[in-house]
Amino acid sequence: MPELVQISSPVEEGPFEPRIVAFFCNWCTYLAADLAGTSRLKYAPNIRVIRVMCSGRVDPQFILDALAKGADGVLIGGCHPGDCHYQEGNYKAYRRVVVLKRMLHDWGIEEDRFRLEWISAAEGDKVRTVVNDMVEKVRALGPLKLGVPQEEFAEEMA
Amino acid sequence: MSTTKPTQKSYLYFPGCSLRATGKAYEESMLELFQRLEVPLEELDDWNCCGATSYMAIDEDSAFMLSARNLSLAHQAGGGRDLLAPCAACYLVLRKTQDYAQKYPSIGREVADSLKTAHLPAMNSVKVRHPLEMLYNDVGVEKLRGKVARHWHGGHIACYYGCQTVRPYSEVDKAYNPTRMDELLRAVGIPTVDYSLKTKCCGGSLTGTIHDVGIRLNYVLLKEAVRKGAQAIVTICPLCQFNLDTYQSEISKQTKEHFDIPVFYLTQLLGWAVGGDVDKLGLQRGVSGRKAIKDWMMSHEGVESYV
Amino acid sequence: MKFQREAVPEWPHQVKALPGCERIFSCIQCGTCSGTCPLSIYMDFTPRRIMSLLREGFRNEALSSETIWLCASCYACTAHCPQDIHITDVMYSLKREAIKNNLYPKRFPIPVLAREFYAIVKSRGRNWETLLVLRMALRSNPFILLGMVKSGWHLLRTGRLGFSGEKIRNPKELQREITIPKEAV
Amino acid sequence: MSNSNGTVRIGVYICHCGSNIGAVVNCPAVAEYAAGLPHVAVSRDYKYMCSDPGQELIIQDIREHKLDRVVVASCSPLLHEHTFREALAHAGLNSFFLQMVNIREHDSWVHSDHAAATAKAQDLVRAAVRRVVLHKPLERRQVDIDASVLVVGGGIAGIHAALTLANAGKKVYLVEREPSIGGHMAKFDKTFPTMDCAACILTPKMTQVRSHKNITLWTLSEVSQVSGYVGNYEVKVKRWPRYILEDACIGCQECIEACVFKQGKTEDEFNEKLSKRKPIYIPFPQAVPQMVLIDPDNCIQFKSGRCKKTCVEACGERKAIRFDQQEAIETIKVGAIILATGFKTFDAKRIPDYGYGVYPNVYTSLEVERLVNASGPTAGEIVLRDGSTPKAVGIIHCVGSRDERTNRHCSRVCCMYSLKLAHLIKEHTGAEVFNFYIDMRTPGKGFEEFYQQLLNEGVHMVRGRVAEVADWALDPSEEGKLVLRVEDTLAGFARRIPVDMVVLSVGLEPQEDADEVRRLFNISCSPGGFFLERHPKLAPVSTFTDGIFLAGCCQGPKDIPDTVAQAGAAAAEALALIDAGHVEMEPNTAHVIEEECSGCKTCLPMCPYSAITFKEEEHHAWINEVLCKGCGTCVAACPSGSIVQNLFEDEEIYEEIKGVLNYA
C-alpha cells in the first residue's frame, strides 16, 4: 500500500517531474488525444486530462485553481477557429486566455506554463508534439513557485 | 559598415575555386555584366573553399565548417549584404550548411564552436544568392530588356540549368521545369529552344574520375540539344560548362557524330547583349564552337584579340 | 544465397540516426530514384536496391558497391522521391562510412579525388584544380593524363589551367578551426 | 456532499482490456490503491469490463454492496460510456452516477513507462472518485424526430441511400449540385471486375429516383445552411436557376437543335473537356432529370440580350424556356442527414514529371473513361488528339497517391480501374499496353482473378513508379514518341519505354469544398481531408454529430460495391434513428439558479443558440433547455456563478482538479 502511494505521486522524490493539468474539449482535442492513443503515439506521461464539452467551458478560475493546487502548468485544447462544435466557444476561450495571460504575468508566472492550443480531431500527432514540448519547457522552468504560499494564492483565487 | 546606396543594392561576391581556374570566363563575364548593369559587387575578403561535393564525401562536419567560415566572414563584412555564389556547388553547400545548422542543433553547435575557436562571429542569417535568381528578381527582365545594346544574329540556344542550382536547397528557379534563363535570354533578344534535359546531371567530376560514364552523360545532353535545334548551350555552373565544352571533340570521335557548338555562361550572353566589352567576357576561353562564337559575337569588335 | 547472419541488423538504425537519413525506413521500393538517376544504368546496384540493402542491414554489400561512387550528387532522386527520402544525403553517409572503413572498390579513383581535394584544401584553404587533377591522376591511374592531354592543351591555350594556385592568408588557422571542434565534441 | 441520505458508496472497476491496458498499467495495484480512497466500498480489476460478465459484476455489486456511485477506468468514454450507463440503469441506479476514466487511449497506449503510466492511472481514478461523489441523478430529455431524411449528393452512394429510405416509406430530399444525378459512375464505361456496363446498372436507379413518390429531387442545388439538432434539423437549400420550367420541359431537346450555335463552342465538362457543347444542352443522354439547361455564361441572350431565341421558337407552346428564372431558397425540416458528397480526382498537373498539360497525348484515367465510352466524345474509339490510333500505351498507377508531396493515402481503386482500362484499350486498339505499378492491390471479390486474366491477355506489368514522361529520344525508335523512364524493379534495371499514349491513373481526393461542407454540417475530417467517421470499425457511417451519417467516397476512397454497401448501411442507421420516433438528449444542459442570479446579463451574448433570455419582471436570466446544446460557455462567463451545467458543475470540475493533483 504505502509504496503505491509513492508511485501515485512521483513528484515527491527524485528528479523534478512537471505536473500538467489539461482541459480538452470533447469534440476536437479529446478526440485527437484518443487518436494519438489508437495510433500508439508515445508522449510524456506528465499530463492529466480533464474533459469538458467545449474549451468555452473553461473558467479562468479552473486554471488558477489548478496552479494554486500544485500544477506546474495548464494546457487548454480546443477546436481550430471556425471549427467549434458550438460555433464560437473557442473564441470565448481565446478572449479569456488573453486576459488571464496578462494576470499570470503580473503574478510572475512564466508564460510557458499556460498554453491554449487548437488541435482538431485529426491531429493526434499534434497532441504528442504539444504535450512533449510543453513538458520540456516546464521541466526547464522547474516547479512552479508562487509569490505567495499556495494556500494564500488559493484564498486569493477562490 | 558598408556604404549601401539606397538606389542600388550592393552584393558580396564569393568566387569559389573554379571561377579562378577552369571557370575564369564565368567570373570575367559576370563582373563585366554587373558593371554594365551598375550592380556594385565586392569580393568576400579571404574566402576559402566552400567545402564542396567531394569534401563532403570525406568529412561532412569539416565541409560545414569551411562553409560556415565564409558565411561568418560575409556577416562580418557587414551591410547585411547578400552573398552571391555563382558556382552551383558553392551555392548548394553554403545553403545546405545554413539549412543543417538550423535543422540539426548538434551541427549548429559544432559550427558555432568552430567559429568561436577561429575568433569569428556567428554566421547568422547571411542570404546566399545565385546570379540567375538575383538577375531575375533584383535586376529584372524589364531592366535587362531596356539595357540591350547589341542585336543577336547568332543561333538558337538550349538553356541548361544543371542539377544542384535548382535542387534541393535552392531558390534559383522551379526544381522541375525552370524557365528563368530562357526568360532572361529572350528578353535580350536571344532565342532559346525547349530543352527537356535542362536539369539532367552532367556527371560533375565523373568526367575526371569515371571518364567513360561522364562522357556518355554529356553526349546525351549535347545530342538532345542539337536534336531540338539548338546551335549552342548556355549554363550557369562552371562544372557543367567545363564538361560540355571541353569534351566535345572526344565525344565526336567516340560516337562518330560531330559536335562543335559553343557552351556559354549566361553572363557571357547577357554581358554581350548589354554591350559589354567582348574582350572582357572571356569568350576566347571557349574550347568548342569557336567559329560560331567568332561569327556571332566578335565579327564587329575585338576580333584581333581572338586567337 | 544470403544467410541472415551476414546482415548487420543494427546498422540501418545507426544510419537512420545520421542527419538527412531519418526517413530511410519509409522506402516503398518504387524505384523512382533509379528511374530518375542519370547514372543508375552504370551502377551495380540501383539506388533503390541500395536502400533495400541498407534497410535489411547488408552493410558490406552496400558499402563496397560501385553505386555510391557513381552518385554525382545531382539530387534528382531526392527531388523526386515520393516518400521524401533524402537519398543523396544517404549516399554521402555511405561514402563517408566506406572511406572510413576502406571498403570502396579500388578501381574507382573517386575516393582518391576526394582525399586529394581534402588534402589540398586543408593545406591551402582553396582548391587548385590543376594540382588536384595531377595528384589524382598520379595516385590512381597515370594513363588518365594521356587521355587528358588534348583537353589539357585546350585549357592551357585558353588560359583556364591555373599554374599559381590560390591560398587564403592563414591556412593554419583554418586547419585549427576545422579540426578542434571534433575533439571538443 | 452526498445526493442521498447517509454517505456515498462508490464501486471502482479497473479494466485490463485484455493486455491493452494490463500490459502497461498495473491494474491490480490501481484497484488496490483505489480501495483506500474515501467512500470507495468496492474496488476491483477485471479482464474485460465491457463484456457481459464485466457489466454483470457491476450490477451485482450495486445490488449487494448498496453502491450508489460507479467509476469505470477503461477505454475512452466516447466508446463505452453508454454501455456502462446502461449497466447502472439495469441495476436500478441513475445512469449518471457513473464517471469513466480513460486509461487506454490516454494512458496505456501512449506511455511506455509502466510506473509512470500506473501513477497516471491512479491520479485519474482518484480524480474520478472525488468527482463522482458530487454527481446528481439526471434524466434524459426526449424529443420527437422528424421522419424525413436529407441526402446530400446524387452519385451512386446518394442514389442508393435515397432509394433505400424511400422504399422504406420515408420522405427523402436528394440534393445534387450538378444538373443531373449519376456522379462519377455515370461517366464510366465498364465497371471492374465484371465488366458490366456502368450505364446499364446505374440509369435504372436514376430513373427510379426521379419517379419515386417519396423522393424530392433537387438538382443544380446546394445546402446553404444547417441548424437544429438530431431529429430536428432545419436546412436551407439554394437552388440555382436552370432557366427551364421543370414541369413544362419534356426533354425533346428540339431547342438544342434550334440553338443559334450550329455546333458547340463550350468545353463539355461531362466529357472531361474532350468535346464541345452548346449553351443550351443536356449533360449526357441518360441524364436525370431528362431535361435541358442553359449555361448563362455562354448563351447569347444572357450576354447581349439580342439573340434570335430560336430555342424558344422550337419549344413553342410548352414555353419551358424561362430566361428570367431566379435563384430560390427552399427550407426543409429533416430528422437525419446523409452526406454522400463524393470525391474529386487528383489534378495531374501537380506532378510535372508526367507532362500532363504539356504533352497532348498524356491523358488522365477519367478522360480515357470518356474515350472508351460508347456515348463519349469519340463514340468509344480510343484515338489520340490527332485522330490516330495508339500502338503503344503506358498506364501509370499511383498518380497523386502514396506520395508525401501530394496524397499519402492509397486511393484503393486505381489498380483495378487501371487493369480495366488496360483491358479495354487492348480490346479496342490491340495496342501494346504497359502497366506501371508500385504494388498491385486486388483485394476485392473477383479482383485477383481479373488480374490473372489481364496477365494472360499479354498486358505488360512493370513493377516500378515511372520517374518521368519526356519527349527526348536517344535512338530512332524513340523519335516522336513519349518516352517513359522507369526502373523495372523486378528485373533490377532502368528502362526507357517509348509509347504513343500515356494514361495517368489519378487518385481520389476530398472534394474541393470538403472543408466548408464539414463546417456546414459540424463534423470533422480525417488527416487526409476525408470526412471522419465516429469509429473506424464500429461506427463507420456515423459521425460525432448525432443524426449525420456518411456514405461513399466523402468518407474515403472506395469502389462501387463498397460505396453501395456503405450507402445501404447509412440508410439503415438513419432509418433506425427516425423509426424510433423520438431521441433522448444528453442532459448536460445548463440552468440558472434564479435566486443567485444578479441579473448582470453577461451570459446573454455568450449563447450562440440564443437559448438564454432575460426575464425582466423577475430580473434574472433563464435558459431554454430545449435550445441549450450544453457547451457550458455561459457557465464559465457567469460572474456570480449562478449558472450550473449538468454533469460539468463547477464543484465537480474543482474536485477533479484537486483529484489529479492529489490535493488534500
Side-chain angles (χ1 to χ4, degrees), chain D residues 457-489:
Chain D
E457 285 175 8
V459 171
H460 303 263
M461 299 291 174
V462 180
R463 190 199 174 280
R465 183 176 175 279
V466 172
E468 131 184 304
V469 176
D471 63 349
W472 53 283
L474 276 185
D475 69 55
S477 70
E478 297 179 344
E479 286 293 342
K481 303 262 183 181
L482 292 167
V483 180
L484 307 179
R485 295 177 69 237
V486 60
E487 179 186 19
D488 186 326
T489 61

XYZ file of all heavy atoms in Angstrom, chain D residues 457-489:
256
model
N -3.785 -11.906 -70.966
C -4.077 -11.164 -72.199
C -2.805 -10.547 -72.770
O -2.815 -9.906 -73.813
C -5.119 -10.064 -71.921
C -6.525 -10.601 -71.753
C -7.507 -9.517 -71.351
O -7.125 -8.323 -71.347
O -8.655 -9.870 -71.010
N -1.677 -10.709 -72.022
C -0.405 -10.211 -72.534
C -0.179 -8.740 -72.271
O 0.596 -8.077 -72.956
N -0.881 -8.188 -71.268
C -0.601 -6.812 -70.858
C 0.710 -6.806 -70.067
O 0.934 -7.682 -69.230
C -1.756 -6.263 -69.989
C -1.374 -4.925 -69.394
C -3.024 -6.151 -70.813
N 1.592 -5.848 -70.373
C 2.870 -5.784 -69.659
C 2.652 -5.244 -68.261
O 1.979 -4.232 -68.084
C 3.859 -4.873 -70.396
C 4.117 -5.288 -71.811
N 5.209 -6.047 -72.165
C 3.425 -5.060 -72.947
C 5.180 -6.258 -73.475
N 4.101 -5.673 -73.973
N 3.219 -5.911 -67.274
C 3.145 -5.422 -65.901
C 4.571 -5.110 -65.442
O 5.369 -6.015 -65.238
C 2.519 -6.474 -64.988
C 1.109 -6.853 -65.361
S -0.039 -5.489 -65.037
C -1.539 -6.193 -65.743
N 4.875 -3.832 -65.350
C 6.212 -3.429 -64.932
C 6.131 -2.871 -63.526
O 5.429 -1.874 -63.289
C 6.794 -2.356 -65.887
C 8.185 -1.946 -65.435
C 6.824 -2.886 -67.308
N 6.834 -3.527 -62.574
C 6.780 -3.029 -61.212
C 7.787 -1.903 -61.024
O 8.994 -2.133 -60.926
C 7.057 -4.122 -60.174
C 6.749 -3.613 -58.778
C 7.398 -4.425 -57.663
N 7.158 -3.777 -56.373
C 7.848 -2.742 -55.924
N 8.830 -2.238 -56.648
N 7.560 -2.175 -54.759
N 7.279 -0.674 -61.018
C 8.152 0.473 -60.847
C 7.356 1.739 -61.044
O 6.434 1.778 -61.867
N 7.680 2.777 -60.269
C 6.991 4.047 -60.416
C 7.719 4.843 -61.488
O 8.932 5.066 -61.366
C 6.981 4.806 -59.095
C 6.216 6.110 -59.115
C 6.188 6.725 -57.708
N 5.552 8.040 -57.698
C 6.175 9.166 -58.052
N 7.433 9.132 -58.440
N 5.535 10.321 -58.006
N 7.004 5.236 -62.537
C 7.628 5.977 -63.634
C 8.233 7.277 -63.099
O 7.586 8.006 -62.345
C 6.600 6.286 -64.738
C 7.192 7.226 -65.773
C 6.139 4.987 -65.399
N 9.499 7.506 -63.465
C 10.186 8.694 -62.959
C 9.849 9.907 -63.801
O 9.726 11.014 -63.291
C 11.688 8.464 -62.949
N 9.680 9.685 -65.116
C 9.440 10.847 -65.967
C 8.845 10.445 -67.318
O 9.146 9.373 -67.842
C 10.766 11.607 -66.155
C 11.100 11.965 -67.579
C 12.458 12.620 -67.726
O 12.700 13.642 -67.060
O 13.283 12.106 -68.510
N 7.975 11.298 -67.817
C 7.458 11.176 -69.177
C 8.065 12.322 -69.965
O 7.879 13.479 -69.599
C 5.918 11.299 -69.206
C 5.413 11.261 -70.643
C 5.275 10.201 -68.371
N 8.853 12.003 -70.994
C 9.533 13.078 -71.721
C 9.594 12.779 -73.211
O 9.276 11.676 -73.643
C 10.942 13.270 -71.167
N 10.016 13.775 -73.967
C 10.000 13.643 -75.428
C 11.416 13.556 -75.986
O 11.628 13.718 -77.170
C 9.275 14.845 -76.051
C 10.011 16.146 -75.743
O 10.936 16.116 -74.889
O 9.679 17.184 -76.340
N 12.420 13.326 -75.120
C 13.780 13.283 -75.689
C 14.143 11.865 -76.106
O 13.889 10.906 -75.403
C 14.813 13.886 -74.746
C 14.858 13.371 -73.354
C 13.989 13.681 -72.350
C 15.829 12.476 -72.786
N 14.360 13.041 -71.198
C 15.495 12.304 -71.432
C 16.959 11.820 -73.286
C 16.230 11.487 -70.572
C 17.706 11.017 -72.435
C 17.332 10.851 -71.096
N 14.693 11.787 -77.305
C 14.957 10.492 -77.920
C 16.444 10.184 -77.879
O 17.279 11.053 -78.099
C 14.480 10.507 -79.357
N 16.775 8.932 -77.562
C 18.180 8.508 -77.604
C 18.472 7.695 -78.844
O 19.613 7.512 -79.228
C 18.530 7.707 -76.346
C 18.909 8.547 -75.127
C 19.349 7.661 -73.977
C 20.013 9.533 -75.479
N 17.418 7.143 -79.464
C 17.654 6.452 -80.731
C 16.411 6.559 -81.605
O 15.333 6.930 -81.116
C 18.068 4.993 -80.485
C 16.911 4.182 -79.922
O 15.821 4.151 -80.553
O 17.082 3.607 -78.839
N 16.538 6.225 -82.903
C 15.434 6.437 -83.860
C 14.108 5.865 -83.374
O 13.047 6.463 -83.586
C 15.929 5.706 -85.113
C 17.414 5.741 -85.011
C 17.730 5.650 -83.542
N 14.135 4.719 -82.670
C 12.873 4.082 -82.256
C 12.096 4.981 -81.294
O 10.912 4.768 -81.051
C 13.182 2.758 -81.570
O 13.788 3.015 -80.321
N 12.781 5.979 -80.722
C 12.110 6.836 -79.752
C 11.668 8.166 -80.352
O 10.985 8.958 -79.695
C 13.044 7.094 -78.556
C 13.401 5.835 -77.802
C 14.353 6.098 -76.643
O 14.970 7.183 -76.602
O 14.479 5.208 -75.778
N 12.043 8.389 -81.619
C 11.693 9.655 -82.257
C 10.184 9.865 -82.280
O 9.430 8.953 -82.629
C 12.242 9.695 -83.696
C 13.748 9.899 -83.807
C 14.195 11.279 -83.323
O 13.344 12.189 -83.222
O 15.400 11.416 -83.026
N 9.748 11.039 -81.863
C 8.332 11.398 -81.927
C 7.447 10.665 -80.938
O 6.229 10.727 -81.023
N 8.062 9.926 -80.018
C 7.268 9.185 -79.026
C 7.373 9.872 -77.669
O 8.220 10.741 -77.449
C 7.811 7.767 -78.900
C 7.830 6.990 -80.200
C 6.624 6.092 -80.292
C 6.662 5.238 -81.554
N 5.479 4.390 -81.651
N 6.485 9.454 -76.764
C 6.649 9.818 -75.365
C 7.453 8.701 -74.716
O 7.090 7.530 -74.825
C 5.285 9.945 -74.685
C 4.412 11.112 -75.147
C 2.993 10.941 -74.630
C 5.000 12.432 -74.664
N 8.579 9.063 -74.096
C 9.443 8.035 -73.525
C 9.278 8.017 -72.005
O 9.403 9.040 -71.335
C 10.920 8.295 -73.898
C 11.800 7.212 -73.298
C 11.076 8.346 -75.407
N 8.956 6.815 -71.489
C 8.809 6.666 -70.040
C 10.114 6.130 -69.474
O 10.618 5.116 -69.949
C 7.673 5.695 -69.720
C 6.331 5.992 -70.368
C 5.316 4.942 -69.974
C 5.853 7.363 -69.965
N 10.659 6.832 -68.490
C 11.869 6.340 -67.806
C 11.440 5.746 -66.478
O 10.795 6.408 -65.673
C 12.877 7.468 -67.622
C 13.401 7.996 -68.949
C 14.348 9.159 -68.772
N 15.605 8.732 -68.162
C 16.073 9.252 -67.038
N 15.383 10.137 -66.380
N 17.231 8.851 -66.572
N 11.784 4.469 -66.269
C 11.300 3.757 -65.095
C 12.286 2.665 -64.727
O 12.958 2.114 -65.601
C 9.911 3.117 -65.374
C 9.995 2.140 -66.530
C 9.359 2.443 -64.134
N 12.400 2.377 -63.443
C 13.173 1.204 -63.071
C 12.236 0.009 -63.052
O 11.211 0.033 -62.371
C 13.835 1.333 -61.699
C 14.613 0.052 -61.348
C 15.197 0.037 -59.941
O 14.730 0.820 -59.089
O 16.107 -0.773 -59.703
N 12.566 -1.009 -63.814
C 11.853 -2.269 -63.731
C 12.400 -2.953 -62.485
O 13.424 -3.626 -62.513
C 12.133 -3.097 -64.992
C 11.294 -4.365 -65.037
O 11.049 -4.925 -63.944
O 10.885 -4.755 -66.142
N 11.713 -2.751 -61.352
C 12.330 -3.135 -60.072
C 12.460 -4.645 -59.938
O 13.247 -5.125 -59.129
C 11.501 -2.601 -58.892
O 10.188 -3.182 -58.972
C 11.408 -1.099 -58.914
